Amino acid sequence: MQGPLRILTVVGARPQIIKAAAISRAAEALGAARVQQTILHTGQHYDDDMSRDFFAELGLPEPAIDLALGYDKQGDRTTRMAEGIRQALKDLKPDVVLVYGDTDSTLAAALAADDEKTPLAHVEAGLRSYDESMPEEFNRIECDRRATWLFCPTTVAVENLRMEGFHVEATGTPSRERPAVRLTGDVMYDNSLHFACRAEGSGILRAHDLSPRGYFLATVHRVRNTDAPERLEALMYALMDLHELHGMPVVLPLHPRTRARLGAIGTAGVLRALDAHPGVRLLPPAGFLDMVALERNARLVLTDSGGVQKEAFFLGVPVVVLRAETEWTELVEHGWAILADADPERIATAVNTFLFTDLAVPPPLYGDGHAAERILAELLSAHTDQ
Ligand code: UDP
């Protein structure tokens, strides 16, 4: 009799830990006789409020392997992560390596799986921003090229892969040479449905004296924004202006990198201005349920995050994207997101557009809330065929 499907899940960054919660719930529902999952944490994000706290909050099993490589320099870090993951593959010999998204941890796992000839399953495959100068875009493409399963959250992602020459209709048992492209829906939507009710218990609005629809929520953490002082400065002053223009507070849970860059020479004045500004609430990174509560009740969201863009949409809140492009192009096409880059004028115009426009009911762009079950069903079906 065929043993259980053994999955090595590699996470490293906050959004991956959050996405892993959806698969983990689905694996638990199937039971250990069918699916056994081991979690490896690369340590890419290592602060408790960016990593450890999420395992407890989302009910995710603690990682069995922690490479603790977050402190390494970025260039060496991917290589060191790949070495650690390769060793885990040698030791555990899993049936499949499961990765999420587009971070250095994702790439490291893809490289290690390739070397060890372990099939790779990529969740959030096929996403493209078509900006090859973004490190995330490089990671996405390299990971998709090495995958045996490409689990796409949207039809746009499937079409992107088709345009790159993938046989998106291929059936039968997949292999690295003949990978399976599958439209599964988005595991973040699964999570959003699962956690939305629980987020109602969050006390974060009360703690910061915020009223529903009475504030703007902003997040900024992309390297493109944090590591270009003129962009970071422009964004922060644009957020401060919003309060002056509309009289609503701007809530800004600060990613550790953003805080560090704001505190660096040249931009330290901006951090002081933010700290002293009566309309800006600087917060530490929020826990997931607090973040969902903040997103759901915001008048609108301004963000350069991929995940926050979508979560706002799931919750019916429009988004100003603080980037020149997005991999979630359907949000822009359906009018729920406006690209404003780090340009204060475009940001102000986009905010005005949303404040004075009623949006239609959000269309079902990201599946039905069962993406994780679908992903495991695909992997199990290939496992049973062996
Ligand atoms: N998030 C959070 N607390 C925060 C900011 C974001 O829990 O202070 C969550 C957010 O709800 C979403 C995920 O982190 O689920 C998005 O991750 P992030 O913005 O770090 O990365 P990206 O999605 O851009 O890869």
Side-chain angles (χ1 to χ4, degrees):
M1 202 186 101
Q2 185 68 267
L5 170 72
R6 288 170 316 115
I7 302 176
L8 179 72
T9 293
V10 176
V11 298
R14 171 173 65 189
Q16 294 163 341
I17 300 168
I18 294 170
K19 289 163 200 166
I23 293 281
S24 198
R25 280 195 307 278
E28 245 174 61
L30 287 165
R34 300 192 66 200
V35 180
Q36 283 176 10
Q37 181 185 213
T38 304
I39 298 179
L40 180 152
H41 192 337
T42 63
Q44 183 174 336
H45 282 168
Y46 47 85
D47 297 316
D48 281 353
D49 58 6
M50 291 294 289
S51 167
R52 193 69 51 199
D53 296 350
F54 285 90
F55 283 87
E57 189 179 23
L58 301 177
L60 191 63
E62 283 288 315
I65 306 165
D66 191 346
L67 300 182
L69 289 171
Y71 293 96
D72 276 32
K73 279 210 291 331
Q74 201 146 1
D76 314 334
R77 195 177 64 182
T78 307
T79 314
R80 300 267 312 277
M81 285 175 184
E83 278 165 14
I85 298 165
R86 217 175 291 129
Q87 189 55 53
L89 293 176
K90 285 190 170 81
D91 296 343
L92 299 173
K93 301 192 177 27
D95 299 307
V96 60
V97 179
L98 188 78
V99 293
Y100 300 92
D102 53 23
T103 71
D104 291 348
S105 299
T106 316
L107 177 63
L111 296 171
D114 210 16
D115 288 346
E116 292 304 311
K117 311 246 173 311
T118 309
L120 176 75
H122 187 201
V123 177
E124 292 197 332
L127 297 178
R128 300 288 183 264
S129 63
Y130 295 104
D131 175 357
E132 291 193 3
S133 66
M134 274 180 88
E136 293 91 340
E137 185 79 349
F138 176 81
N139 293 347
R140 289 175 194 129
I141 294 171
E142 291 303 312
C143 188
D144 283 344
R145 283 186 185 152
R146 289 169 172 78
T148 292
W149 284 274
L150 296 106
F151 294 125
C152 298
T154 61
T155 50
V156 173
V158 174
E159 287 315 305
N160 290 342
L161 291 175
R162 188 198 300 279
M163 283 190 300
E164 287 175 23
F166 283 86
H167 294 285
V168 302
E169 274 94 23
T171 52
T173 305
S175 62
R176 164 76 197 274
E177 294 66 39
R178 234 181 126 64
V181 176
R182 299 285 183 265
L183 177 63
T184 55
D186 193 324
V187 290
M188 290 197 78
Y189 185 48
D190 298 12
N191 267 344
S192 193
L193 294 178
H194 184 80
F195 289 109
C197 287
R198 292 221 228 149
E200 280 169 20
S202 156
I204 191 142
L205 265 69
R206 223 171 318 113
H208 295 282
D209 196 21
L210 298 166
S211 52
R213 306 278 161 229
Y215 62 93
F216 299 115
L217 173 66
T219 75
V220 174
H221 79 288
R222 291 246 100 73
V223 169
R224 167 70 54 89
N225 284 331
T226 58
D227 291 21
E230 66 292 347
R231 287 178 68 88
L232 192 54
E233 208 165 323
L235 282 170
M236 294 302 135
Y237 281 110
L239 295 180
M240 289 186 254
D241 285 350
L242 280 187
H243 173 258
E244 273 130 48
L245 286 169
H246 302 286
M248 279 191 255
V250 180
V251 180
L252 181 60
L254 269 188
H255 189 284
R257 180 174 48 243
T258 315
R259 182 173 279 281
R261 299 296 186 271
L262 280 169
I265 305 159
T267 44
V270 189
L271 187 54
R272 273 197 301 276
L274 285 168
D275 261 331
H277 199 281
V280 177
R281 311 271 162 86
L282 285 190
L283 269 48
F288 183 66
L289 295 179
D290 284 344
M291 190 62 187
V292 172
L294 285 172
E295 289 165 344
R296 165 184 270 178
N297 290 294
R299 181 67 184 82
L300 60 85
V301 168
L302 301 103
T303 188
D304 61 5
S305 157
V308 175
Q309 282 175 55
K310 275 183 302 164
E311 283 170 350
F313 168 78
F314 301 152
L315 298 163
V317 178
V319 186
V320 178
V321 181
L322 305 174
R323 288 162 52 181
E325 37 47 48
T326 176
E327 60 281 20
W328 304 104
T329 51
E330 57 284 325
L331 292 180
V332 179
E333 271 158 36
H334 285 82
W336 281 82
I338 297 178
L339 299 175
D341 207 358
D343 178 335
E345 255 177 57
R346 286 173 66 186
I347 293 170
T349 309
V351 168
N352 271 332
T353 305
F354 283 135
L355 287 181
F356 301 108
T357 318
D358 284 331
L359 288 161
V361 174
L365 300 173
Y366 296 99
D368 58 2
H370 296 284
E373 284 106 306
R374 224 163 263 130
I375 287 166
L376 289 183
E378 281 290 338
L379 295 175
L380 272 169
S381 132
H383 182 61
T384 334
D385 284 352
Q386 276 172 2

